[in-house]
Amino acid sequence: MTAARTVTATFSQTAASSYTLSVAVTGTGSVTSSPAGINCGSSCSASYASGTSVTLSAAAGSGYTFSGWSGSGVSCAGTGSCTVAMSVNRIVPAAFTPTSTTATTIRLIPVTTSPGTNELVSLAIPFPPDTLTDASRLRILDENGNEVPAYVAPKVYWYFKPNTAAIRSVLVQFRRSFSSSAEQRVTFDYSAPRLQNLAAPNYAEGLMIGKSSTEIPRILPVLTAEWLTSSLVAGPQITKGQNNAYPDYETWFETYYAQAKNYDYSADYTVWLFDRATAIYKQYIRTGNPDYLREAYNSTTFYRSRINTSGSCIGSFNLGGKNCDAKYNYTEPFALHYMLTGDDRFVQTIRDVADGWNNGFDPDYTVGNGFWTERHAGFGWLAAIHAYEALGTQSYRDRMNYYANTLFAHVTTPPDGQGADGCWRHDAYDHDASEFDSNYAGCSPWMTTMILDAMWQYWFITSDTRVGPAARNFASFMENYGWAASDRSHYFSSSKVPASQYANSQDADTDLHNMEMIFIYSMAYGFDTNSANRLAYTSRITTARSIFTYGAISTKRAFNWAFRGTSSFVHLMRQ
């Protein structure tokens, strides 16, 4: 050493000796591999030596066809076998959709106590990608297989899939006569051109006044859970009947719903925080339960009746003195409702709510800006996502991408300049100064669920490769800093101060948010092919499942936060 010297040491990452391939099946069918390892159904992940070419083959179940492969780095066109090179860990979705020759049942359940002749039935039927491109082939058939005259009009297309001409949701209207209040059944298929047409009816003719003086159908049209989940109307889901691993989730929903459905929501705005209508619609989609559909329909129409259409806060929820508060404003229930009813009045409502977010909260955080929460970031992102899904408007896609780019930048390069730790770090006083004794940089585990839910739904549209690492990194943050006890998370965690500083009196009640913690870990599980990591995620979920033994919780909005965005966890854990 004769002078000061600088020595640079460069480390290159060595290639892994093996990588994990996981297959994610939607619909009914199986996937096998050559070399052996994947047999999904039962075994959906396998490890292969680096450089191995693995060929996947799909076999549709009865009544289904294979509609194709997808996934980042997977370029398999058509419905033949798919060969992937194992140079990285890979997740390959495989989609199976109902065949066009299978007639699918629609249950017709009178809501009116005195149904009569020529009752108008209106519904929108959602379709999977690449399934229906010609609405003139959609037919309604009576119990004898005879065609029923019908008015049919496409409403939503698969705007974000390669075949944008494929119809995602189509309005169907037809008439049926009832001599009693007994349920009737018809079917729909799309195997041949429709020969019997009906002039466009007035949609309102088939409606009546229901709960809380808002509209509901006189005849409730109920689709099967198998069709609804295969249609991907609410993204990737599995039916209640397919959920063999976590049946206690279904039991807890039913227990809690028995109380929640009777809440008087006509004056109490707290019933609506965290999106009551979407929570119920998603369970209808997974079960085909007419009671859930009726309550979801009524909740959505009442919620719409309280959205401002004029004044300084257009698109904002307004009830009982609560107004101009963005965290009460959601497009997701309106998008689901529109894709399941075809009611055009909901189009403007979707626009109003989405535009209200565009003119309000900005997810681009700067330290000391006075206000930023994960809840607002997540709900604002969801507002853009579902406006784009339902309407296909480019400005909403642009807004969706702005949220994505802003939030991925935030978590990878935090604005406080203190390095990434996996959470969307921001100052406690910018989160809500009234809740903290001191200011420090951290994040809310349970509120982050709203960002992760939006990220999951964004991935459904884009397959963005940034989603997986973000989900895994947040689960890692939770393991290091997130848990106040084995069965509850901290209210606002931090990697930058001692745990004694971020321990909060509200930590005592965070077990009520364990359902969100389960979703966080299921997201990491779904995007992590490492078997050891998956065991760790499953262990956390097993502990957090203590929430399933709880009865209905007195905090009314807790029903919404528990079930609005978490039903996908049973799908993610099947991967």
Side-chain angles (χ1 to χ4, degrees):
M1 293 298 294
T2 58
R5 299 184 186 278
T6 300
V7 178
T8 301
T10 302
F11 298 89
S12 299
Q13 185 175 12
T14 59
S17 60
S18 64
Y19 295 99
T20 302
L21 175 63
S22 296
V23 173
V25 169
T26 56
T28 300
S30 62
V31 175
T32 56
S33 67
S34 177
I38 300 290
N39 188 6
C40 186
S42 56
S43 179
C44 297
S45 294
S47 188
Y48 295 94
S50 177
T52 302
S53 290
V54 181
T55 299
L56 299 173
S57 300
S62 177
Y64 283 74
T65 57
F66 179 59
S67 57
W69 312 95
S70 58
S72 176
V74 177
S75 56
C76 298
T79 57
S81 60
C82 177
T83 299
V84 295
M86 295 308 297
S87 55
V88 295
N89 294 327
R90 296 192 185 280
I91 299 173
V92 180
F96 298 90
T97 57
T99 61
S100 60
T101 57
T102 301
T104 303
T105 299
I106 307 173
R107 299 171 63 188
L108 305 179
I109 301 175
V111 176
T112 175
T113 56
S114 54
T117 59
N118 291 319
E119 291 279 2
L120 178 63
V121 178
S122 300
L123 76 157
I125 301 174
F127 279 83
D130 298 317
T131 303
L132 182 69
T133 56
D134 183 358
S136 70
R137 298 182 68 84
L138 182 58
R139 304 184 301 159
I140 301 296
L141 307 175
D142 67 16
E143 61 275 16
N144 297 314
N146 298 315
E147 188 175 334
V148 176
Y151 173 74
V152 177
K155 292 297 177 181
V156 179
Y157 290 85
W158 282 99
Y159 304 113
F160 53 90
K161 293 294 186 181
N163 183 6
T164 57
I167 298 168
R168 189 175 186 188
S169 175
V170 58
L171 171 66
V172 183
Q173 295 177 286
F174 55 94
R175 298 187 180 278
R176 295 289 287 171
S177 292
F178 291 77
S179 58
S180 71
S181 58
E183 174 183 326
Q184 295 186 19
R185 298 193 177 197
V186 296
T187 59
F188 71 89
D189 85 355
Y190 45 104
S191 62
R194 184 176 62 259
L195 301 178
Q196 301 290 326
N197 290 295
L198 181 72
N202 179 356
Y203 198 100
E205 179 191 338
L207 303 176
M208 59 181 278
I209 298 300
K211 183 178 176 180
S212 300
S213 301
T214 51
E215 296 169 330
I216 195 166
R218 289 173 57 82
I219 307 297
L220 193 68
V222 182
L223 295 167
T224 67
E226 292 73 20
W227 179 268
L228 288 165
T229 53
S230 294
S231 77
L232 301 175
V233 65
Q237 302 278 349
I238 64 170
T239 68
K240 173 185 173 181
Q242 293 173 310
N243 177 21
N244 299 317
Y246 299 95
D248 42 1
Y249 172 82
E250 315 295 347
T251 302
W252 192 45
F253 181 94
E254 291 155 9
T255 300
Y256 207 162
Y257 173 77
Q259 178 175 328
K261 74 174 183 178
N262 295 317
Y263 291 158
D264 180 4
Y265 49 62
S266 60
D268 184 355
Y269 63 82
T270 67
V271 175
W272 297 99
L273 185 57
F274 303 109
D275 195 356
R276 167 189 175 88
T278 292
I280 303 172
Y281 252 135
K282 286 187 176 176
Q283 197 68 354
Y284 161 65
I285 288 163
R286 297 185 58 248
T287 63
N289 185 323
D291 186 48
Y292 298 158
L293 174 59
R294 180 171 177 170
E295 185 55 43
Y297 201 114
N298 233 136
S299 293
T300 307
T301 54
F302 179 84
Y303 178 58
R304 177 177 176 268
S305 75
R306 306 307 306 176
I307 297 295
N308 290 333
T309 58
S310 61
S312 59
C313 292
I314 294 174
S316 184
F317 176 71
N318 187 349
L319 179 69
K322 178 61 65 176
N323 190 18
C324 303
D325 189 340
K327 66 179 178 286
Y328 284 83
N329 305 336
Y330 323 112
T331 60
E332 188 169 8
F334 300 136
L336 288 172
H337 191 83
Y338 181 51
M339 288 192 285
L340 292 169
T341 68
D343 188 340
D344 286 333
R345 295 173 298 175
F346 283 76
V347 170
Q348 188 58 50
T349 308
I350 294 169
R351 291 193 183 112
D352 286 346
V353 175
D355 292 347
W357 275 100
N358 290 357
N359 298 326
F361 178 80
D362 190 331
D364 190 8
Y365 173 67
T366 55
V367 177
N369 73 354
F371 183 76
W372 194 93
T373 73
E374 302 91 339
R375 173 169 54 194
H376 284 71
F379 281 143
W381 196 359
L382 285 166
I385 288 168
H386 292 293
Y388 172 65
E389 271 199 293
L391 307 180
T393 306
Q394 183 62 41
S395 62
Y396 297 134
R397 178 160 190 145
D398 292 343
R399 186 70 175 175
M400 174 187 76
N401 290 336
Y402 171 72
Y403 266 85
N405 293 332
T406 300
L407 291 172
F408 284 125
H410 184 152
V411 77
T412 55
T413 310
D416 62 12
Q418 298 185 65
D421 58 12
C423 92
W424 281 264
R425 202 168 57 242
H426 56 292
D427 279 6
Y429 283 0
D430 290 334
H431 187 91
D432 187 343
S434 68
E435 294 182 333
F436 301 95
D437 296 327
S438 63
N439 192 25
Y440 61 93
C443 59
S444 166
W446 71 270
M447 282 195 189
T448 299
T449 307
M450 289 97 174
I451 291 180
L452 292 178
D453 177 35
M455 190 185 300
W456 166 240
Q457 299 192 52
Y458 168 76
W459 180 85
F460 172 60
I461 294 173
T462 65
S463 297
D464 192 318
T465 56
R466 294 175 293 181
V467 170
R472 296 191 297 271
N473 290 342
F474 186 72
S476 178
F477 172 85
M478 286 296 301
E479 286 302 289
N480 291 320
Y481 310 104
W483 291 93
S486 62
D487 64 343
R488 67 197 64 217
S489 65
H490 283 291
Y491 183 76
F492 197 82
S493 307
S494 177
S495 67
K496 302 303 176 185
V497 298
S500 59
Q501 184 173 344
Y502 63 78
N504 188 300
S505 61
Q506 297 188 69
D507 291 351
D509 297 321
T510 56
D511 57 328
L512 301 184
H513 290 287
N514 275 11
M515 190 62 245
E516 291 108 306
M517 299 304 102
I518 288 171
F519 178 74
I520 286 169
Y521 280 88
S522 73
M523 271 279 286
Y525 182 99
F527 286 95
D528 195 334
T529 56
N530 181 282
S531 57
N533 290 346
R534 284 186 154 197
L535 284 173
Y537 303 144
T538 303
S539 178
R540 273 294 183 192
I541 288 171
T542 298
T543 303
R545 282 170 73 182
S546 61
I547 192 72
F548 294 151
T549 65
Y550 293 18
I553 299 167
S554 59
T555 304
K556 293 178 180 178
R557 64 186 181 276
F559 171 79
N560 308 339
W561 77 48
F563 299 111
R564 174 200 56 79
T566 60
S567 64
S568 295
F569 110 83
V570 292
H571 164 82
L572 286 160
M573 295 303 292
R574 273 183 104 216
Q575 306 314 308

